[in-house]
Amino acid sequence: MGATEQFVTTGAVLVGALSTHVTNHLMERSKNRYQLMTRWDDKKVEAYAAYMDAVKWRIAACVRVYEAKEGLAEEHRSEGELRTDLFQASRRWGSAFERVMLLGCDDAIEAGHELNVLLSEITWQATGKITGTLSEWRERHRAAFRAINTFHEAARQDLGIQGKVTGEKHPQRDLLLPPSRDAAED
């Protein structure tokens, strides 16, 4: 075997080794990127779900305070105890939104901010910081639940989930309300 043949053979071995190394490196990098993306998707799902749960707990606590304050429902706990529950629900909500701020996409964060404004208005009316009628109370809830759907859409898009929670296949829904004592309240 001549020197030229040995040089070509050595070159081919080096090119093969280099291409194997580059291919393995790119595959490992792709695998790590996928694992990182999947890990963050899991964390995002947890953050989005915890935020939605906290939002609904806060709304439920507001409803109990408001109904007790307005005499709309019989409550066996004092207003102070109900406000303590609302305070705890608000703390839980705040912590949950911080996780959304850390992990969420821009659209989900913005949808969360818009929902938080409506949630604050519900809280303010429940606690008497702002006044309003029962109809205004209900409209605030309708707006909040529309904002929840907007947040769901943004979170689903961020996670790559196909389909929508609103639109043609999912008609607009209203609050589920018990029959009104006075038809003029609605």
Side-chain angles (χ1 to χ4, degrees), residues 1 4 12 24 48 53 63 131 148 176:
M1 194 187 276
T4 304
N24 286 340
Y48 291 154
D53 190 49
V63 167
T131 60
I148 286 170
L176 297 175

Side-chain angles (χ1 to χ4, degrees), residues 10-28:
T10 303
V13 169
L14 288 175
V15 167
L18 182 62
S19 65
T20 300
H21 175 73
V22 169
T23 301
N24 286 340
H25 174 73
L26 291 175
M27 287 177 58
E28 191 65 29

Side-chain angles (χ1 to χ4, degrees), residues 88-103:
Q88 293 298 327
S90 295
R91 286 187 58 211
R92 179 179 175 186
W93 157 82
S95 295
F97 188 65
E98 286 299 318
R99 290 186 66 205
V100 169
M101 293 284 293
L102 288 170
L103 299 170

Side-chain angles (χ1 to χ4, degrees), residues 37-82:
M37 184 179 67
T38 303
R39 184 179 104 205
W40 288 119
D41 280 352
D42 290 345
K43 298 290 185 194
K44 283 181 181 184
V45 167
E46 291 171 13
Y48 291 154
Y51 174 64
M52 281 294 94
D53 190 49
V55 163
K56 290 178 181 179
W57 273 100
R58 186 171 173 188
I59 289 172
C62 286
V63 167
R64 286 190 299 278
V65 169
Y66 180 79
E67 287 179 345
K69 184 177 67 115
E70 297 293 322
L72 297 173
E74 189 175 320
E75 182 60 54
H76 301 290
R77 298 172 61 209
S78 71
E79 189 175 333
E81 291 172 315
L82 295 174

Side-chain angles (χ1 to χ4, degrees), residues 4 33 37 49 56 62 65 69-70 92 106 109 116 139-140 147 151 168-169 174:
T4 304
R33 196 177 288 157
M37 184 179 67
K56 290 178 181 179
C62 286
V65 169
K69 184 177 67 115
E70 297 293 322
R92 179 179 175 186
D106 291 343
I109 292 169
N116 293 344
E139 186 49 42
R140 284 188 169 98
F151 180 85
E168 292 177 17
K169 292 187 178 186
D174 199 7

